[in-house]
Amino acid sequence: MRIVYWSDFNCPNSYIGLVRLKEAIDELDLDVEWEMKPFELYPTLFDEPINSITTQNIIKYGITPEDAKAKIEETEKIALNDGIKINYKDIQLTSSRNAHRLVRYVQKKHSDISQDLIFKIFEANFIDNRIIADIDVLVEIASSLGLDENEIRNILESDSYDFEVLIEEEDAIAMGVEAIPLYFLNISEEQLVVPGAFEKEDFKIAIVDLINGEIGSKSYL
């Protein structure tokens, strides 16, 4: 199976959805080739925190501070129900561009550890509340997986893979992608598109139906 998904490191639903999907895949004992594609949820953010996530939600969604706080708390509860202890309210909200550039490089050169890298970046952001735009943070994460520290630093301190990220984000817009996460599950000639963070059991049902060729009578769009 090949899974291509659009996601962002500042999107808690992308993190929750990926955990659920990974658990579904593991429980079904499937061999999967993964590819993450970039879709920056806040493309105008800088490399240093400016607004809290509460303020950002107020600005982005036009809601009250009370509603923004409730939205954040609800997201934390949903994650906790899946065993993910995120601290969303204290996230250091910064640009995810450097993280996406790093992922593009690792998926191209070291694909066997790309999913480990992706999970570690999500954890750094949502659990440890580190600044994922910080090159030092990303170098530390990459080197913890055995990648050469100097090589990673050279890539991130240049504009390497920036063009690739931009092109893939433009491709997503051209395809009509408006919300993340979005998953494309492929087996042979069959494809299932799953929008949003399904529950783990729903992912499993959808995958089994896809494997058995029974997905044609169902729609998840």
Side-chain angles (χ1 to χ4, degrees):
M1 175 182 286
R2 175 172 168 77
I3 298 177
V4 180
Y5 61 100
W6 277 261
S7 182
D8 184 47
F9 293 108
N10 281 323
C11 174
N13 289 331
S14 290
Y15 184 24
I16 294 167
L18 190 60
V19 169
R20 290 173 175 174
L21 179 55
K22 177 64 165 54
E23 289 180 351
I25 292 295
D26 288 346
E27 290 181 14
L28 292 170
D29 195 25
L30 298 175
D31 184 21
V32 171
E33 177 186 348
W34 300 83
E35 181 181 2
M36 177 183 182
K37 289 184 176 289
F39 193 96
E40 292 173 89
L41 197 61
Y42 305 102
T44 60
L45 289 180
F46 297 95
D47 289 350
E48 293 293 334
I50 295 178
N51 295 324
S52 68
I53 188 60
T54 302
T55 300
Q56 194 68 35
N57 279 347
I58 292 169
I59 295 170
K60 184 177 179 68
Y61 300 109
I63 57 180
T64 66
E66 293 74 19
D67 287 343
K69 182 179 179 182
K71 182 181 177 71
I72 292 165
E73 290 176 349
E74 179 62 22
T75 300
E76 290 181 339
K77 289 178 183 177
I78 291 170
L80 189 59
N81 287 337
D82 284 274
I84 314 168
K85 297 179 181 179
I86 68 171
N87 182 8
Y88 188 29
K89 64 181 177 297
D90 294 324
I91 187 176
Q92 300 291 304
L93 195 60
T94 57
S95 171
S96 58
R97 176 65 61 81
N98 286 340
H100 283 299
R101 291 198 298 121
L102 176 58
V103 168
R104 295 316 301 160
Y105 164 75
V106 173
Q107 287 185 153
K108 183 176 181 179
K109 301 292 186 179
H110 307 278
S111 60
D112 57 316
I113 61 170
S114 61
Q115 283 300 109
D116 292 335
L117 174 76
I118 288 164
F119 274 109
K120 281 183 174 292
I121 297 174
F122 271 123
E123 291 165 6
N125 202 23
F126 285 108
I127 296 177
D128 300 328
N129 296 144
R130 304 186 72 182
I131 298 176
I132 61 167
D134 189 326
I135 289 174
D136 289 339
V137 170
L138 294 174
V139 168
E140 179 184 326
I141 292 171
S143 62
S144 74
L145 294 170
L147 299 181
D148 183 82
E149 180 177 334
N150 292 328
E151 183 178 1
I152 299 301
R153 186 175 297 279
N154 289 337
I155 289 168
L156 293 176
E157 288 181 348
S158 70
D159 60 357
S160 296
Y161 296 93
D162 191 64
F163 181 73
E164 287 85 345
V165 170
L166 288 172
I167 289 297
E168 293 204 335
E169 290 181 335
E170 290 178 0
D171 286 345
I173 294 171
M175 289 173 56
V177 177
E178 297 180 347
I180 52 172
L182 178 65
Y183 306 94
F184 282 62
L185 283 61
N186 303 275
I187 297 180
S188 298
E189 300 301 318
E190 301 295 323
Q191 181 180 82
L192 173 64
V193 181
V194 181
F198 272 29
E199 296 288 342
K200 179 186 70 176
E201 292 304 318
D202 291 331
F203 269 127
K204 288 175 68 175
I205 291 170
I207 292 167
V208 170
D209 285 346
L210 180 62
I211 292 172
N212 293 336
E214 299 174 357
I215 207 67
S217 61
K218 298 183 179 181
S219 173
Y220 294 93
L221 293 175

